[in-house]
Amino acid sequence: MHVHNVVCLEDDLDLAHFIELAVSAWPATVHLAHDGVHGLELIRAQKPDLILLDLGLPGLNGWEICTVVKNDPDLRTIPIIVLTAVPIENQERGVLSQVFDYLVKPFSLYHLRHALESVLVPA
């Protein structure tokens, strides 16, 4: 059985643990980071199946991380689901075209699991 590898970058500790529980519905290992610098290190080390990316991270923000990932030949194919409190209409469309999906906070467990199902398909 394939165990998915997920990196979650979220600075809200409660939300990060909520996400960790939601991802546990799949056979998955979740690696958490609460700032952008550590998160980018985790992404490079883990080369995950999925990145869950808060935009408002300290250190490097989510857009900066997204740009680095999408410009790195070893990482660019990793799907990114953006987690944001800013209404999507106010986001830059060019950057949004680089991500797999996005969830506007607060989001429900149903919406999170639906987004995860799009990426974490059974192997």
Side-chain angles (χ1 to χ4, degrees), residues 55 63 84-93 95-96 102 104:
L55 296 182
W63 290 133
T84 179
V86 178
I88 215 63
E89 305 81 46
N90 298 337
Q91 302 289 357
E92 184 182 326
R93 294 282 176 208
V95 179
L96 284 177
Y102 62 88
V104 178

Side-chain angles (χ1 to χ4, degrees), residues 3-110:
V3 176
H4 295 285
N5 193 17
V6 177
V7 170
C8 175
L9 284 63
E10 173 57 61
D11 62 339
D12 179 318
L13 300 181
D14 291 334
L15 182 55
H17 291 294
F18 170 79
I19 291 168
E20 190 174 28
L21 287 172
V23 174
S24 70
W26 287 266
T29 301
V30 180
H31 306 275
L32 296 175
H34 306 298
D35 67 83
V37 173
H38 182 229
L40 190 55
E41 290 171 2
L42 265 179
I43 292 167
R44 287 182 170 142
Q46 296 297 323
K47 294 189 176 49
D49 299 309
L50 172 64
I51 300 167
L52 298 171
L53 181 61
D54 179 17
L55 296 182
L57 294 168
L60 294 171
N61 70 38
W63 290 133
E64 292 167 323
I65 292 169
C66 185
T67 299
V68 170
V69 168
K70 292 305 176 183
N71 287 319
D72 185 320
D74 292 332
L75 305 175
R76 71 172 45 133
T77 59
I78 300 170
I80 297 173
I81 297 177
V82 163
L83 312 173
T84 179
V86 178
I88 215 63
E89 305 81 46
N90 298 337
Q91 302 289 357
E92 184 182 326
R93 294 282 176 208
V95 179
L96 284 177
S97 68
Q98 297 179 41
V99 302
F100 182 81
D101 202 353
Y102 62 88
L103 293 171
V104 178
K105 299 175 189 177
F107 48 81
S108 69
L109 181 59
Y110 171 81

